[in-house]
Amino acid sequence: MDTTESIRLRIKCLAVGFFCLFAAYKASEQLQTTVNRSSGYVCLLVIYSCLAISSLVAPWIVAKVGTKTLLWTSSLPYVVITASYLLPKNEMLLSISCYAVGIAASTLWTSQGEYVGKCSLLMSQRTGVALTDCTSDLNATFFAIFSASGALSLLFASVVMSVLDNSLTILFTVLTILGVVGVILLALLPSPESNHSLDVAELLKSFATASKRQETVEAGQSEPEDKKGILALGPADAQLEAPIIDGGADSAKLPNAQLPDLHFMIRFLTRDLRMRYIIPVMLVDGARMGFFIGAFMEKVVSGLLGVTYVATVGFISSLVSVAASMCWRKLVLNPRLGRRTAFLISFILQALWFAFYAIWCQRRIVEGTGRVVDKPQVQLGNVATGEEGVDSQQVPGTMSDVVIILSGCIVNAIMEPVWNGFLRATLQVYFCDSIELPCAMSSFFVFTSIGFAIQQGISLVFSGQLVAQCVFLLFFSIAAGCSMLFLHLRVCSIDLREDDKAKEEGC
């Protein structure tokens, strides 16, 4: 197998593991605000708040423990929260599960980003292909497979909830089993620098060897260095990945200098000029995702069309996201277009999306109830007086509502691969061969989680006031687009291959 295909296969195996894990988890996430109502908002707020906070120390944990080890250990809470739906409703258990997922998500996704980044760098070094193209290629490949997880779980959820009486028990039993399969696949994944085969039989054999070796170590016996298997844990994993990280001239004398602690993370976020202009984009991305999963699903989809449409809309969005990932991949690999074109199109679509739904929600939901609301500014002022917004369930849905809502979900799904994949790919190029790579990957989740948590808080405060939320998001989306444009034109090119001079100067 040639080098390129070997690296691609690792990314595909990583994506399949995440596919299984999040096929189990996404159904519960999508149903949070519709099944649990206010407690669902609180759970999502807790998850993304914990993710934002724990992501500050995630780079240190990843560097200390190892990327490969954390990929499977951090996935366990996702299985737990999915399995919790099989038990009688318990607010305490739900809260604990939400906290656990929020904390584990930081190391899980930081490890995923670093794994893809290292594979991209390795692919670029061995093939001579520009790192920008390698990161775009592998990230698009990952998210094309990963995005299908939502389609699978939500299709299954839609069918089960529509046909069967004891639907939730059957639904979450199957999803929990699928999540366990995902954990096993991630546990068998080799390190990105490893030359081991990806044959399943070989992986299982290596797993057994690693277990025996662990028993030998616990018994006090030493083992030869060259016999470590693909499931080496802890410091051994960190040693295997160390050559990819440049810790500076003194790193050989001070191994701990390679570990990006909290102080290093904060200094990185406050001093790096590129991060200053990307942070607004990440905040708006998190807020957009929070609005779509939370207020849009509850007030628009569930409110106008019914709760069964939540799974249907999620299924369609996931399918569109898979197709969009493959189309965006072809676009960004064209040097004449590149990632800058993908971002430009996505920013325009995002602004139009919020502008349209601000107008449509004002006419369809607010005015459709028969209540008198003079201007959108009135909704913006309601929060100061504590007035509740209109409950969208008072408005019966029509066929035109179905078309408009599904069209909006499709447009949102088209933008999704750009924000999820190519924004991370840009960070992987900027910080590809330095200790700052895990910090950059972790910062993505720090600020998208902050944006998500802020939006969930806004959804609670501006209850039912969708026009106000859309106006806020439209304004901040335009501001984020201007920030990204300034980054590309004045600070550091998004398509770094076209700016060799900036690259040489350490852009």
Side-chain angles (χ1 to χ4, degrees), residues 16-195:
V16 171
F18 272 71
F19 173 94
C20 295
L21 181 66
F22 281 86
Y25 172 72
K26 278 189 174 181
S28 61
E29 183 184 51
Q30 288 280 356
L31 293 172
Q32 279 288 0
T33 58
T34 51
V35 174
N36 293 322
R37 292 293 177 180
S38 60
S39 62
Y41 277 117
V42 174
C43 184
L44 292 176
L45 178 61
V46 167
I47 288 176
Y48 285 89
S49 297
C50 289
L51 174 57
I53 296 172
S54 60
S55 291
L56 292 173
V57 296
W60 180 85
I61 298 175
V62 171
K64 186 71 174 178
V65 179
T67 300
K68 178 169 60 59
T69 301
L70 285 170
L71 279 173
W72 70 270
T73 54
S74 299
S75 63
L76 294 175
Y78 286 86
V79 179
V80 173
I81 195 172
T82 304
S84 67
Y85 281 83
L86 297 173
L87 303 176
K89 188 174 181 179
N90 187 315
E91 294 293 338
M92 180 63 70
L93 177 61
L94 179 64
S95 299
I96 295 175
S97 300
C98 290
Y99 280 108
V101 168
I103 295 172
S106 61
T107 52
L108 176 67
W109 283 105
T110 299
S111 299
Q112 181 274 341
E114 187 173 5
Y115 193 95
V116 175
K118 289 180 178 181
C119 287
S120 300
L121 181 61
L122 186 64
M123 181 177 176
S124 178
Q125 291 172 342
R126 292 184 178 180
T127 62
V129 178
L131 181 59
T132 294
D133 291 333
C134 291
T135 54
S136 296
D137 188 0
L138 297 185
N139 276 281
T141 300
F142 174 87
F143 283 102
I145 298 174
F146 170 73
S147 298
S149 62
L152 174 66
S153 62
L154 292 172
L155 173 63
F156 181 68
S158 179
V159 172
V160 170
M161 293 177 67
S162 300
V163 176
L164 301 179
D165 294 331
N166 194 20
S167 58
L168 289 180
T169 301
I170 298 174
L171 173 64
F172 288 103
T173 298
V174 175
L175 293 179
T176 300
I177 295 174
L178 189 61
V180 172
V181 173
V183 173
I184 295 173
L185 290 175
L186 293 176
L188 297 176
L189 194 69
S191 297
E193 304 88 352
S194 172
N195 292 320

Side-chain angles (χ1 to χ4, degrees), residues 162-441:
S162 300
V163 176
L164 301 179
D165 294 331
N166 194 20
S167 58
L168 289 180
T169 301
I170 298 174
L171 173 64
F172 288 103
T173 298
V174 175
L175 293 179
T176 300
I177 295 174
L178 189 61
V180 172
V181 173
V183 173
I184 295 173
L185 290 175
L186 293 176
L188 297 176
L189 194 69
S191 297
E193 304 88 352
S194 172
N195 292 320
H196 287 274
S197 169
L198 283 175
D199 180 76
V200 175
E202 291 295 328
L203 291 175
L204 293 174
K205 181 179 179 180
S206 299
F207 180 79
T209 303
S211 300
K212 292 180 179 179
R213 185 181 69 251
Q214 185 68 18
E215 295 175 358
T216 302
V217 172
E218 292 175 355
Q221 302 177 19
S222 61
E223 62 166 332
E225 183 70 20
D226 59 352
K227 290 186 178 180
K228 286 182 168 60
I230 65 170
L231 295 179
L233 304 177
D237 190 18
Q239 291 173 8
L240 192 63
E241 298 174 354
I244 205 70
I245 299 178
D246 180 12
D250 297 332
S251 60
K253 297 180 181 180
L254 301 172
N256 288 334
Q258 294 183 354
L259 302 180
D261 55 15
L262 179 60
H263 176 71
F264 183 93
M265 179 69 170
I266 295 176
R267 185 174 59 182
F268 165 72
L269 294 176
T270 55
R271 293 185 179 183
D272 192 277
L273 189 60
R274 294 162 293 186
M275 293 302 302
R276 294 180 189 176
Y277 292 100
I278 293 181
I279 285 174
V281 182
M282 295 187 290
L283 287 172
V284 172
D285 178 39
R288 175 196 59 80
M289 181 171 56
F291 176 77
F292 183 78
I293 294 176
F296 188 83
M297 282 292 180
E298 180 193 2
K299 302 297 183 180
V300 178
V301 179
S302 179
L304 290 177
L305 306 182
V307 66
T308 56
Y309 268 86
V310 173
T312 303
V313 166
F315 168 70
I316 295 175
S317 297
S318 298
L319 285 184
V320 173
S321 183
V322 172
S325 295
M326 295 184 287
C327 294
W328 285 120
R329 175 179 174 273
K330 294 182 179 180
L331 185 147
V332 299
L333 292 180
N334 186 334
R336 295 183 179 181
L337 300 176
R339 284 201 286 253
R340 60 191 180 276
T341 304
F343 281 117
L344 176 62
I345 295 174
S346 297
F347 273 117
I348 294 174
L349 287 176
Q350 183 169 267
L352 292 176
W353 197 93
F354 288 127
F356 173 81
Y357 277 100
I359 298 172
W360 182 77
C361 288
Q362 169 68 16
R363 294 182 176 179
R364 180 67 186 93
I365 298 179
V366 177
E367 296 178 0
T369 61
R371 291 182 54 171
V372 178
V373 179
D374 297 326
K375 295 180 181 180
Q377 290 91 320
V378 174
Q379 285 197 54
L380 292 172
N382 282 345
V383 68
T385 61
E387 181 180 341
E388 289 291 327
V390 178
D391 189 351
S392 59
Q393 291 184 354
Q394 299 176 24
V395 187
T398 64
M399 182 57 63
S400 62
D401 292 333
V402 175
V403 174
I404 290 174
I405 292 172
L406 291 181
S407 298
C409 294
I410 289 173
V411 172
N412 182 74
I414 291 174
M415 298 184 291
E416 194 74 25
V418 177
W419 307 128
N420 273 340
F422 299 137
L423 192 56
R424 297 186 217 192
T426 301
L427 295 174
Q428 289 164 354
V429 173
Y430 284 168
F431 310 103
C432 61
D433 56 352
S434 71
I435 193 176
E436 296 171 337
L437 176 60
C439 295
M441 292 296 96

